[in-house]
Amino acid sequence: MKSSGTADLPLHYGYVPKWLAERMARLGLAITEAIITEYGTAEVLRRLSDPFWFQSLGAVMGMDWHSSGITTSVMGALKGAINPRSKELGIYICGGKGLKSRQTPAELLNIAQHTGLDGHELVRCSKLSAKVDNTAIQDGFQLYTHNFIVNSEGLWTVVQQGMRNDSATARRYHWHSSSLASFVEEPHTGICGINQGQILNLVAKEAGTSRNTMLSMTTENPERILREVRKLIMPNRHEVKAKDIDLKRLGAMLWLTQEKRPADFEELLLLEGLGPRTLQSLALVSEVIYGTASRFTDPARFSFAHGGKDGHPFPVPVKVYDETIQVLGKAIRQAKIGQSDQQQAIFKLGELARKAEKNFLPNDNFEELIQKERNDSWKYGGKTVLGEAKPPSKNQLSLF
């Protein structure tokens, strides 16, 4: 997925409450395990290098669907959950935000001692990727977070982010070793951030002449910006609107889980007994695990799994979140001992939702859908950073 695109990322300050951070770690681990079980560690790295999939992952984990905070919170959750089991899973996450990013070389050298990988080459790749995005691409963004993810075979992905205070925006950069031919010519798999217009990018293919001239003065000094092919525009507003979402995809999934119900499908009998709200979340989690790249063009849709900590599109339904983690975790444990029926049922749930889209015509009731989720949030233990969701009163139009 070379040159996979750009996205606007409003720069948001704040924190992830403990109750959400713990659940993000558990769900992130379960999703990662499911992908490894089905496709291997190389697929985890490939997906992390896709800015659209990464944004969708953050949304399904209950983070603010559009903000720059997805980058640090998702990578922090994954690092905390995966690294204690790195030897078993075959994947390692280094770096982080601020001072943690500077620990990346030491972490990589330590991993190399235990795996036999070339630690010095990995450190070189880490430093070069940071150098390119912080210096060679002069777009006004200064890096403040850097994560280097490597598997036991030596394949790696970089997810790093810079901020630009004068515009209150952030830009996320993605790298992937399997598609990297050169650090000095079109190296990225994707760049996420607001389009700043004409900027200096000496790693573009067209800048070869400029690079050759500069190389006469220095041995390794790449420069100029990436061609922007696909654009993921993440607006500054908090609310989710109909235009942010493929309503046909969302509507078909809701019809399947809320109205049709799995009792009508022999393939989903193992999921019978789950409430429709948990099935809704599982269908979106299934998409994150099994969906193809074309399914992540509307990351906001995945916020309909577990809402968002800021209350948009609705408060995080904690009880549903926990049940989703429990069902997915059980399916993974059973698959490890050769009993993959429940994992197949989760796969089928997403597959049937995609099939239902073929002739589905969505209703024009998007605002009513969000209002229903907000009104029902208290039933599912809904929470935001401001506290617990309350039952709607007769005079209350919304939860906020």
Side-chain angles (χ1 to χ4, degrees):
M1 278 174 303
K2 199 170 182 179
S3 302
S4 53
T6 67
D8 292 349
L9 295 170
L11 186 59
H12 284 180
Y13 299 95
Y15 72 101
V16 180
K18 185 178 180 181
W19 59 263
L20 179 58
E22 292 174 346
R23 288 174 172 85
M24 287 180 66
R26 289 163 57 201
L27 181 60
L29 176 62
I31 289 174
T32 301
E33 280 197 273
I35 295 172
I36 291 173
T37 300
E38 192 73 21
Y39 307 109
T41 57
E43 179 65 11
V44 175
L45 298 180
R46 186 192 69 80
R47 300 226 186 164
L48 288 173
S49 75
D50 178 353
F52 285 76
W53 184 85
F54 190 95
Q55 201 76 15
S56 301
L57 174 65
V60 89
M61 291 169 75
M63 268 299 294
D64 301 338
W65 63 281
H66 67 312
S67 83
S68 60
I70 275 184
T71 308
T72 53
S73 59
V74 168
M75 291 311 306
L78 292 178
K79 184 176 182 179
I82 290 173
N83 279 8
R85 297 178 53 189
S86 285
K87 187 175 181 180
E88 170 195 348
L89 297 174
I91 194 167
Y92 305 80
I93 300 178
C94 303
K97 183 179 179 181
L99 292 176
K100 292 181 180 178
S101 67
R102 300 176 188 175
Q103 298 170 2
T104 304
E107 291 176 325
L108 286 171
L109 291 175
N110 182 57
I111 290 168
Q113 288 183 344
H114 294 88
T115 61
L117 296 174
D118 187 340
H120 294 288
E121 176 60 20
L122 293 175
V123 170
R124 174 180 174 274
C125 292
S126 170
K127 289 183 176 180
L128 278 172
S129 66
K131 190 71 172 177
V132 167
D133 288 336
N134 213 36
T135 304
I137 297 182
Q138 296 181 19
D139 55 5
F141 291 86
Q142 293 298 306
L143 293 184
Y144 66 94
T145 183
H146 171 86
N147 281 105
F148 194 98
I149 309 98
V150 61
N151 72 358
S152 53
E153 283 76 46
L155 293 175
W156 53 264
T157 282
V158 168
V159 178
Q160 55 193 5
Q161 187 160 286
M163 70 167 66
R164 183 169 178 167
N165 289 321
D166 61 352
S167 61
T169 56
R171 172 160 287 174
R172 189 171 68 235
Y173 306 86
H174 295 253
W175 297 64
H176 189 207
S177 61
S178 68
S179 63
L180 180 66
S182 168
F183 272 101
V184 298
E185 184 170 293
E186 303 286 3
H188 302 87
T189 58
I191 294 179
C192 294
I194 290 179
N195 185 347
Q196 302 292 325
Q198 293 294 321
I199 66 174
L200 179 64
N201 175 20
L202 290 172
V203 294
K205 187 174 183 179
E206 297 85 350
T209 301
S210 298
R211 280 198 306 273
N212 291 335
T213 301
M214 294 182 71
L215 284 172
S216 65
M217 296 183 295
T218 180
T219 55
E220 223 171 330
N221 189 16
E223 319 171 324
R224 196 194 171 253
I225 193 175
L226 184 89
R227 235 173 326 181
E228 297 176 338
V229 181
R230 296 164 62 202
K231 292 185 178 180
L232 172 61
I233 306 299
M234 307 307 285
N236 194 37
R237 57 180 161 80
H238 290 271
E239 65 271 18
V240 179
K241 295 186 177 182
K243 63 182 179 180
D244 301 320
I245 290 174
D246 186 321
L247 295 178
K248 187 171 185 178
R249 291 175 179 174
L250 179 64
M253 182 273 297
L254 293 174
W255 170 80
L256 175 70
T257 58
Q258 303 281 342
E259 297 183 29
K260 195 66 175 171
R261 297 304 318 278
D264 297 326
F265 300 98
E266 184 178 347
E267 300 99 321
L268 299 183
L269 288 178
L270 285 174
L271 298 180
E272 193 171 10
L274 293 178
R277 188 57 189 79
T278 300
L279 286 172
Q280 175 181 322
S281 293
L282 275 174
L284 289 165
V285 169
S286 174
E287 184 97 64
V288 167
I289 296 171
Y290 301 106
T292 58
S294 64
R295 303 292 300 179
F296 303 106
T297 54
D298 58 335
R301 174 166 52 98
F302 294 89
S303 64
F304 279 80
H306 301 121
K309 68 178 179 64
D310 63 352
H312 295 284
F314 47 82
V316 177
V318 172
K319 294 179 181 177
V320 171
Y321 205 136
D322 289 343
E323 191 167 19
T324 301
I325 294 171
Q326 181 182 6
V327 172
L328 183 57
K330 182 180 178 181
I332 294 167
R333 290 192 298 271
Q334 289 181 338
K336 288 180 178 179
I337 58 174
Q339 300 174 1
S340 61
D341 290 352
Q342 194 162 23
Q343 191 170 9
Q344 281 298 307
I346 294 172
F347 168 78
K348 282 288 185 181
L349 182 59
E351 184 181 65
L352 288 169
R354 292 189 288 275
K355 287 181 179 179
E357 292 172 17
K358 186 175 182 181
N359 299 311
F360 187 83
L361 295 176
N363 295 325
D364 186 21
N365 62 346
F366 183 73
E367 294 301 325
E368 290 85 347
L369 168 64
I370 290 181
Q371 192 60 52
K372 180 180 184 303
E373 286 280 5
R374 290 182 174 181
N375 289 341
D376 291 345
S377 180
W378 64 277
K379 300 177 184 178
Y380 308 120
K383 283 188 177 183
T384 71
V385 291
L386 300 177
E388 298 183 357
K390 307 295 182 184
S393 64
K394 293 182 180 179
N395 298 324
Q396 188 177 10
L397 296 179
S398 71
L399 290 173
F400 304 100

